[in-house]
């Protein structure tokens, strides 16, 4: 069937408009994630051994991890911005950083506002107390003060359970400050992610992890602005490759001193893009091209 000149012009102009419509998104992605410039990400520097301030700059599991991610993305270098957890999301949405790289729990509430990579590490609540004290369950918190890192899921848990178990909540801007509250007897316990508390106790004989709560299983992941889905997918593919070739497991053994448990997020490659069962998850995706 022959098309008239006017029909051909209409079809061609429609195609051209469709292509032009994709340009703002592509340009925005390039502006937000410029391939020829340092990768700018954000984290709270007070969460050992994920990230701490060393003699030559930030160091830790999370630092080695994002440096390898950037290398595989072919970004020239990495700049990690030190941001208190309570200000992290503001920094993300103000575009001071491209995405978060702290040990951030993936939650349904957060997934409404941002998109996550696949899970990187599995965790729960760890309760740190002075070495001379003990804690066998939540009832041991009655009448005591519990310190938390402001804005974390540990803060959320403490706020929701303070009345039930009869304890007072003290909020601090950094994890080290909450540990200091325990050491100076301002608080009986401090709560943080299990891997973080185990590491802290291994470095200070004055404290110990008295109780671990895995009843509400959760996972860490990187968080991006909603418009950065395409770049999230690129990072997700890199994380898959790093799990498959054993890089993530080796970094965990280096910094946490143990081989990851079988089935944990550290060694599990999830199908699709993002965090399964959360908004922003794409269930199917091509196999990553690993180099």
């Amino acid at each position: 069937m022959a098309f008239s000149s006017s029909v051909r012009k209409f079809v061609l102009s429609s195609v051209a408009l469709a292509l032009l419509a994709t340009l703002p998104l592509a340009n925005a992605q390039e502006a937000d994630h410029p391939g020829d410039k340092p990768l700018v990400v954000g984290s709270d520097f007070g969460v050992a051994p994920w990230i701490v301030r060393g003699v030559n700059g930030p160091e830790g599991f999370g630092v080695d991890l994002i440096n390898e991610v950037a290398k595989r993305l072919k970004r020239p270098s990495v700049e990690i911005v030190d941001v208190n957890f309570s200000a992290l999301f503001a920094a993300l949405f103000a575009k001071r950083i491209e995405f978060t790289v702290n040990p951030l729990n993936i939650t349904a509430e957060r997934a409404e506002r941002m998109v996550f990579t696949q899970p990187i590490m599995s965790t729960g609540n760890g309760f740190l107390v002075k070495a001379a004290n003990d804690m066998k369950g939540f009832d041991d918190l009655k009448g005591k003060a519990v310190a938390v890192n402001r804005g974390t899921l540990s803060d959320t848990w403490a706020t929701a359970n303070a009345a039930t178990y009869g304890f007072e909540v003290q909020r601090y801007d950094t994890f080290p400050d909450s540990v200091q509250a325990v050491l100076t007897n301002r608080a009986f316990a401090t709560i943080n992610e299990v891997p973080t508390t185990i590491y802290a106790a291994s470095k200070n004989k004055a404290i110990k992890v008295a109780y671990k709560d895995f009843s509400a299983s959760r996972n860490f992941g990187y968080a991006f602005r909603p418009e950065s889905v395409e770049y999230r997918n690129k990072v997700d593919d890199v994380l898959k490759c790093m799990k498959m070739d054993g890089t993530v497991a080796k970094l965990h053994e280096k910094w946490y001193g143990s081989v990851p448990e079988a089935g944990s997020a550290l060694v599990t490659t999830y199908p699709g893009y993002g965090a399964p069962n959360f908004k922003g998850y794409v269930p199917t995706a091509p196999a990553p091209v690993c180099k």
Side-chain angles (χ1 to χ4, degrees), residues 11-191:
V11 172
L12 290 172
S13 62
S14 297
V15 171
L17 286 172
L19 291 172
L20 286 172
T22 66
L23 288 178
L25 179 60
N27 291 338
Q29 285 295 289
E30 176 59 25
D32 290 346
H33 308 285
D36 60 342
K37 294 182 180 179
L39 178 64
V40 182
V41 292
S43 179
D44 183 339
F45 278 23
V47 186
W50 187 282
I51 181 170
V52 293
R53 192 178 297 282
V55 176
N56 298 313
E59 61 185 26
F61 172 83
V63 177
D64 285 358
L65 187 71
I66 191 57
N67 280 334
E68 181 63 21
V69 168
K71 177 182 177 182
R72 299 192 188 200
L73 288 170
K74 301 188 185 308
R75 299 291 289 268
S77 60
V78 177
E79 177 187 344
I80 305 177
V81 180
D82 185 8
V83 186
N84 283 344
F85 187 87
S86 57
L88 189 68
F89 298 147
L92 175 66
F93 289 110
K95 297 190 176 183
R96 287 179 54 207
I97 59 176
E98 296 183 40
F99 54 93
T100 70
V101 296
N102 63 309
L104 178 67
N105 279 289
I106 302 168
T107 69
E109 180 182 5
R110 290 170 181 167
E112 288 293 325
R113 301 174 54 207
M114 55 199 87
V115 290
F116 284 93
T117 59
Q118 65 177 277
I120 299 171
M121 181 185 285
S122 303
T123 185
N125 277 332
F127 291 77
L128 271 175
V129 302
K130 291 187 77 170
N133 295 330
D134 205 1
M135 176 184 169
K136 296 181 179 178
F138 301 141
D139 290 336
D140 292 338
L141 299 174
K142 187 174 181 178
K144 299 180 174 69
V146 175
V148 296
N149 194 170
R150 190 188 312 275
T152 61
L153 280 194
S154 299
D155 183 357
T156 301
W157 182 91
T159 301
N161 289 278
T164 301
Y165 296 107
F167 61 83
E168 170 200 347
V169 181
Q170 296 180 358
R171 295 177 177 83
Y172 296 88
D173 286 331
T174 70
F175 175 56
D177 286 343
S178 71
V179 173
Q180 190 63 24
V182 172
L183 290 171
T184 56
N185 297 315
R186 296 197 305 275
F188 169 74
T190 182
I191 316 173

Side-chain angles (χ1 to χ4, degrees), residues 61 242 245-256 258 260:
F61 172 83
M242 290 172 62
D245 66 21
T247 299
V248 177
K250 289 177 182 177
L251 291 179
H252 183 271
E253 189 170 0
K254 171 185 174 181
W255 288 101
Y256 288 91
S258 63

